[in-house]
Amino acid sequence: MRLRPTALAVLTAALCFSAQARPPVAAPPPPGSPPGAQAGTHAEAGTAARAGSKRSAPARADSARTDPPRPTSFFTLDDAFGRIQDTHPDLRLFGNQRSVLEAERDLAAQKPAYVAGAAIDNTLGTGALSGTKAAEITLTLASVFERGGKLDARRAFAQSRIDALAVDREGRRLDLLAETARRYLVVVAEQRRIELAEFDIAQRKRAVAAARVRLEAGASPESGLLTAQAQLARAELDRSRAQRGLLAARQFLAALWGERDPGFAAVAGDPFALPQIQDATALASLLERNPELSRFVDQRRIAESRVRLAQTQSRADVDWQVGLRRQQENGDFGFVASVSMPLGAAARAQPGIRGAQAELAMLETEREAKGLSLYSTLVEAQGRYRLGALETERLKQDVLPRLERAEKAADYAYRAGAISYLELALLQAESVAVRRQRLDAALDAQLALIEIQRLTGEPFLATPTAPAGATP
């Protein structure tokens, strides 16, 4: 079984990234809106992906920057796929392996060689045979006549190994694309964490300003202001940690194609764009396209060719020889010929035949075991994706709107002196925690989707009728 040539884009839909996607240059959403609130549907993300990150200017002059400023350049998942396709040594290695197997096929296709020989009789003896006066010369031509279709069996066996190499390469390529998508997702996640830290910093700054006003008015003790400033410092620390994580994630992604210094500052992508997928039963029907199962088809061909090759050994080859002999006595020439064939070839070939047949039978069991393992992985990934998509949608639709209204009410109440700073700080922490929970749920769903696509070899696009939880 062969995989379709569209496998290059097989993982592109996992994060809803498009090769033509260019992030907008508009300002980031206001602090009150959740990260990813401006994200459209999955279909819209396919044509205009949001910018992974917009770094705000430092709030204070002494704010630490863990990442030096770089020229803005946006990088897409298709760009990463292209570099993997062009430069990764694991894929180039298959070209060398094919050359080796083609050479072995050409070697297997050669017929037995002709052997030319010469023999001298009746020389260097005694008496009348002393010296070379009575020497007789025989010129011969010999070879082997192969029986049982050995030549065709060798050629078929060598060709089946070449055919299997294509599936092995496709499997390795899908694994590399999946790893690329996972590392790319880490970069997107770090960019989102920076946005989340900026949101937290903005609300903490408002709390510090309100606490300072209340302190100056004598409505609250200095401890309230100091606590608010400490919370602001923690939020800035989270931003610094995310910035450092983004630098490490970019380097980790670029290491896949051998670059030590990433040539990009930001990547495009929306982790909250989660497409609709089919149920586990429908997805299981696509497992046949998985290279790990397709490989068994080629391995079966190899095993069958090995059985036929072993069976040809049961018919012995015939060694033949012809030649001319010169009689020294009268100078006449005579034709000579000989034929020989080993006995018991069928009995000697039986162990090899039984071994090849046992190997062929073992492949069926191995394929069944691999199929069960892949199906279990697929079901687990499909369940994780459904759960992550549902959690992402419910947090957006049911939890975040209420928290946003609660934030506004608490901010007004704190400025009016109706609540303490502790109540405001708890609400702000809960707001950040829910947004972080939504991001983690979306990232887990994206990882599950990448695994589903690696197993099935199919990209998934959102349909017009998407269930709840499919499109945030």
Side-chain angles (χ1 to χ4, degrees):
M1 182 177 293
R2 293 290 179 270
L3 297 181
R4 297 183 299 178
T6 57
L8 172 62
V10 72
L11 295 169
T12 306
L15 304 179
C16 305
F17 304 140
S18 172
Q20 290 80 26
R22 290 297 181 267
V25 294
S33 62
Q38 295 180 345
T41 63
H42 180 78
E44 294 170 347
T47 56
R50 294 183 65 251
S53 172
K54 288 290 186 180
R55 295 186 182 178
S56 303
R60 298 180 300 185
D62 58 347
S63 295
R65 294 297 298 268
T66 60
D67 191 17
R70 298 171 61 93
T72 302
S73 60
F74 295 107
F75 194 71
T76 67
L77 185 60
D78 283 343
D79 294 333
F81 283 168
R83 298 193 183 187
I84 288 295
Q85 290 276 112
D86 296 337
T87 63
H88 203 280
D90 282 2
L91 300 181
R92 298 200 312 269
L93 184 63
F94 284 96
N96 298 331
Q97 291 178 345
R98 183 179 181 86
S99 299
V100 172
L101 294 180
E102 287 177 346
E104 293 180 357
R105 179 197 59 191
D106 295 340
L107 182 63
Q110 294 179 355
K111 296 180 179 180
Y114 289 97
V115 180
I120 301 178
D121 299 325
N122 302 330
T123 183
L124 302 179
T126 60
L129 301 181
S130 63
T132 60
K133 293 182 297 181
E136 295 182 348
I137 299 177
T138 304
L139 301 178
T140 61
L141 180 66
S143 186
V144 177
F145 176 70
E146 293 185 317
R147 302 171 66 225
K150 293 183 175 62
L151 177 61
D152 292 337
R154 288 198 306 269
R155 279 193 296 220
F157 177 70
Q159 186 62 46
S160 64
R161 296 177 62 195
I162 296 176
D163 295 338
L165 192 64
V167 177
D168 291 341
R169 184 187 187 279
E170 191 66 24
R172 180 54 183 156
R173 186 172 69 146
L174 282 181
D175 289 342
L176 286 173
L177 294 183
E179 178 63 20
T180 303
R182 284 189 285 264
R183 296 192 188 188
Y184 190 96
L185 181 62
V186 173
V187 178
V188 174
E190 294 300 334
Q191 291 179 164
R192 290 291 179 156
R193 290 190 178 100
I194 292 176
E195 289 182 355
L196 186 57
E198 295 287 357
F199 168 80
D200 194 19
I201 288 173
Q203 67 175 4
R204 298 297 182 183
K205 284 182 178 180
R206 293 195 301 270
V208 168
R212 182 175 286 108
V213 171
R214 293 191 60 176
L215 176 62
E216 293 173 353
S220 65
E222 185 181 8
S223 60
L225 175 61
L226 294 176
T227 303
Q229 290 174 339
Q231 295 293 336
L232 174 60
R234 288 188 62 184
E236 291 174 344
L237 175 61
D238 291 339
R239 180 179 62 184
S240 299
R241 183 186 298 111
Q243 289 172 342
R244 178 60 62 181
L246 175 61
L247 176 61
R250 292 205 320 264
Q251 292 174 335
F252 190 47
L253 174 61
L256 268 177
W257 52 81
E259 290 184 3
R260 297 187 178 182
D261 182 25
F264 55 91
V267 300
D270 181 11
F272 299 108
L274 301 174
Q276 178 184 1
I277 65 172
Q278 306 174 46
D279 57 23
T281 303
L283 292 176
S285 64
L286 302 175
L287 278 179
E288 294 297 327
R289 298 176 180 176
N290 187 285
E292 295 185 45
L293 291 182
S294 301
R295 186 180 296 115
F296 282 98
V297 177
D298 289 292
Q299 288 182 349
R300 180 178 179 84
R301 293 194 185 100
I302 294 175
E304 290 174 347
S305 298
R306 185 176 288 112
V307 170
R308 289 194 296 270
L309 188 60
Q311 289 173 344
T312 61
Q313 301 300 318
S314 62
R315 300 192 64 182
D317 297 334
V318 176
D319 297 332
W320 58 267
Q321 178 176 289
V322 296
L324 289 175
R325 176 176 299 170
R326 180 182 180 276
Q327 297 289 338
Q328 182 67 17
E329 179 180 355
N330 51 22
D332 293 335
F333 289 88
F335 177 78
V336 295
S338 66
V339 176
S340 62
M341 183 177 65
L343 301 177
R348 289 195 302 270
Q350 287 306 310
I353 295 174
R354 290 198 305 270
Q357 291 174 339
E359 184 177 353
L360 178 60
M362 185 174 60
L363 284 176
E364 294 298 328
T365 305
E366 290 180 355
R367 187 190 185 283
E368 183 179 357
K370 176 58 70 173
L372 290 176
S373 175
L374 292 179
Y375 178 74
S376 299
T377 304
L378 178 64
V379 171
E380 189 269 340
Q382 193 263 357
R384 282 174 47 209
Y385 180 81
R386 295 280 191 185
L387 179 61
L390 176 64
E391 184 177 356
T392 301
E393 179 67 11
R394 293 294 297 273
L395 288 174
K396 176 188 176 183
Q397 298 293 341
D398 300 337
V399 181
L400 283 177
R402 293 178 172 84
L403 278 178
E404 290 171 1
R405 292 196 297 269
E407 289 171 21
K408 294 178 181 178
D411 185 69
Y412 178 80
Y414 178 68
R415 293 177 184 275
I419 62 173
S420 65
Y421 173 75
L422 179 60
E423 295 175 277
L424 176 63
L426 288 175
L427 182 59
Q428 290 177 335
E430 178 66 14
S431 176
V432 173
V434 169
R435 287 171 167 83
R436 185 176 291 114
Q437 179 184 357
R438 179 170 179 256
L439 177 61
D440 292 341
L443 294 175
D444 187 65
Q446 292 287 1
L447 288 173
L449 182 58
I450 292 173
E451 184 64 14
I452 292 172
Q453 292 178 330
R454 185 189 71 84
L455 292 173
T456 62
E458 281 290 316
F460 297 101
L461 299 177
T463 57
T465 305
T471 304

